[in-house]
């Protein structure tokens, strides 16, 4: 009798009619995973620093040479257009080659692409330096094209690597760090380039192997890549990429466009500010000009890292911050139409716009890397970074062309572009409450 009662008691099951919404359950699960990750991420500071070196090396590829171009023109007796190709050929080669490198990284692994890319990047810098010693513009251009192709295997693949290494809030923080280190490189590189040109005008070319060697050592010894999955056939791989765009194309393409536009505007307005500072009545150049150009970039750097630390895959917060960032960009750029002649107000408005960019880019990075599986992540992030590169490549020349028409045309155009992008992002990018 007692045994019977015991068995009956054991069969009693308590059920609740109250069920949590699926999103809340996912959020709770994510919080648990996040807490577990945070406890294990305390020893990841060196890994984070190693990852951060990769985009810094990439940014140095162009920004460090900008202060060198006037002296290069004089020494090699080339035109302004020829000197501008030193910058453009790098970005164009990178932008066109990134999708190929993305596929290779999905097939063979991230570190197997990043390591040889850094070696080739540094070697091409040496070649460009010797080309300068030989007074050979053709050798420098060829070396810069090789550097651009190698650059395709650096920061864009590092973004995919972050998606492989981390999950939850740690991934968002690491992506914010990549965007911040990208900005730090933009801040430091013109100053470093201005200092190196005091030694000899081609010293920056020989500095590339040094920076690449430091990043290479960090990647080799401080980053442990997860085991790579099975290799996919090319036909199957392309089919999966096509499926991703059929399902998520509307917001993915909008995200690509928004990221490209953010950097197009950032580099374009910095080009405008750089030219304005050198003209009368300011006539500021050299290291001081680099320091002034660093002000808007510093605003973007701080905002990018803070944003990456805060968003933690929270879809609703990501949507708010993207739209707020674009509103800040639109209003600040629209105000420059009336205040571009007041240099102090102008720099302040550009800083506000850069802060808006700092809100936008880490959110886009988190959404894009989280939108696909590891096996296709390299291609998707590479396409995104390819368009970002093209935005950087075309920003300065298009701004220069608009400046020849009218200063107001410049800021009317970019404020309208920002407004259009705000509308596209608001209506087409609606992330779930918790991003996977």
């Amino acid at each position: 009798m007692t045994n019977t009662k015991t068995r009956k008691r054991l069969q009693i099951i308590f059920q609740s009619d109250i069920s949590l919404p699926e999103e809340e359950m996912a959020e709770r699960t994510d919080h648990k995973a996040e807490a577990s990750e945070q406890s294990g991420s305390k020893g990841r500071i060196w890994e984070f620093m190693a990852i951060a070196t990769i985009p810094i090396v990439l940014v140095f590829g162009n920004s460090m040479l900008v202060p060198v171009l006037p002296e290069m023109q004089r020494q090699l007796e080339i035109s302004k257009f020829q000197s501008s190709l030193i910058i453009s050929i790098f970005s164009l080669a990178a932008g066109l080659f990134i999708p190929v490198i993305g596929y290779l990284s999905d097939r063979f692994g991230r570190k197997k692409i990043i390591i040889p890319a850094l070696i080739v990047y540094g070697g091409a810098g040496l070649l460009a330096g010797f080309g300068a010693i030989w007074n050979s513009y053709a050798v420098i251009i060829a070396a810069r094209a090789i550097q651009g192709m190698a650059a395709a295997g650096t920061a864009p693949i590092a973004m995919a690597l972050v998606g492989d290494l981390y999950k939850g809030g740690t991934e968002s923080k690491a992506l914010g760090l990549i965007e911040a280190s990208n900005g730090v490189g933009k801040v430091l590189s013109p100053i470093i380039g201005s200092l190196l040109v005091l030694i000899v005008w081609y010293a920056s070319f020989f500095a590339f192997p040094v920076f690449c060697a430091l990043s290479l050592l960090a990647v080799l010894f401080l980053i442990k890549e997860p085991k790579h999955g099975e290799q996919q056939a090319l036909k199957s791989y392309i089919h999966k990429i096509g499926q991703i765009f059929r399902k998520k194309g509307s917001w993915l393409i909008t995200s690509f466009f928004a990221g490209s536009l953010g950097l197009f505007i950032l580099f374009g307005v910095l080009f405008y500010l750089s030219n304005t500072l050198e003209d009368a009545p300011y006539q500021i150049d050299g290291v001081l000009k680099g320091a002034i150009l660093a002000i808007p970039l510093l605003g973007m750097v701080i905002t990018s890292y803070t944003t990456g630390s805060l968003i933690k895959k929270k879809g609703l917060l990501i949507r708010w911050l993207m739209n707020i960032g674009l509103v800040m960009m639109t209003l600040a750029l629209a105000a420059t139409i009336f205040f571009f002649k007041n240099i102090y107000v102008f720099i302040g408005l550009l800083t506000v716009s850069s802060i808006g960019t700092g809100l936008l880019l880490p959110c886009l990075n988190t959404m894009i890397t989280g939108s696909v599986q590891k096996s296709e992540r390299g291609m998707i992030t590479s396409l995104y970074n390819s368009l970002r590169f093209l935005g950087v490549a075309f920003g300065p020349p298009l701004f220069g062309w608009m400046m020849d028409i009218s200063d107001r045309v410049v800021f009317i155009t970019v404020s309208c572009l920002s407004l259009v992008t705000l509308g596209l992002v608001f209506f087409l990018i609606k992330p779930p409450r918790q991003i996977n």
Side-chain angles (χ1 to χ4, degrees), residues 121-348:
Y121 194 115
L126 278 176
L127 179 61
F130 284 115
I133 292 173
W134 301 330
N135 285 328
S136 174
Y137 174 73
V139 171
I140 295 173
I141 282 290
R144 289 292 289 163
I146 295 169
Q147 266 195 316
M149 289 187 284
T154 57
I157 307 305
M159 187 178 290
L161 178 61
V162 165
D164 298 345
L165 288 171
Y166 311 117
K167 300 299 174 191
T170 308
E171 181 188 350
S172 300
K173 188 174 183 179
L175 289 170
L177 177 65
I178 282 185
E179 206 61 65
S181 58
N182 196 316
V184 168
K186 292 181 179 75
V187 171
L188 295 178
S189 50
I191 299 172
I192 294 172
S194 299
L195 292 172
L196 288 173
V197 80
L198 297 176
I199 303 170
V200 63
W201 71 269
Y202 49 77
S204 292
F205 290 130
F206 288 103
F208 287 131
V210 177
F211 294 126
C212 287
L214 294 173
S215 181
L216 179 63
L217 290 171
V219 172
L220 276 171
F221 296 109
L222 299 177
I223 298 176
K224 294 182 180 179
E225 183 179 6
K227 187 177 179 181
H228 199 67
E230 294 182 5
Q231 295 181 1
Q232 296 185 69
L234 180 59
K235 185 177 180 181
S236 171
Y237 180 82
I238 293 172
H239 178 69
K240 285 186 177 181
I241 297 295
Q243 282 185 323
I244 290 168
F245 276 99
R246 280 192 291 273
K247 290 179 182 177
K248 307 176 181 181
S250 61
W251 74 261
L252 267 178
I253 293 169
T254 303
S255 299
F256 291 177
F257 176 74
S260 178
L261 181 81
L263 291 179
F264 169 80
I265 291 174
L266 179 67
F267 273 83
V269 295
L270 288 174
F271 175 81
Y272 179 95
L273 179 59
S274 177
N275 281 274
T276 301
L277 291 173
E278 288 192 0
D279 294 339
Y282 310 109
Q283 295 180 329
I284 299 170
D285 58 10
V287 176
L288 180 58
K289 186 181 83 170
I292 294 171
L293 291 173
I295 295 171
L297 289 168
L298 193 59
M300 190 196 79
V301 168
I302 295 169
T303 309
S304 293
Y305 183 71
T306 305
T307 303
S309 300
L310 289 175
I311 53 178
K312 301 181 188 298
K313 299 274 189 176
K314 298 174 183 174
L316 188 60
L317 180 60
I318 284 173
R319 190 180 184 202
W320 270 101
L321 292 180
M322 284 192 301
N323 285 284
I324 290 170
L326 283 164
V327 167
M328 290 175 69
M329 289 171 63
T330 303
L331 294 178
L333 293 169
T336 56
I337 298 169
F338 309 100
F339 296 105
F340 66 89
K341 289 185 178 179
N342 185 324
I343 193 66
Y344 301 105
V345 176
F346 181 58
I347 292 172

Side-chain angles (χ1 to χ4, degrees), residues 52-68:
T53 64
I54 303 170
I56 289 176
V57 166
L58 171 66
V59 171
F60 279 2
N62 264 347
S63 303
M64 196 165 65
L65 293 179
V66 171
V68 179

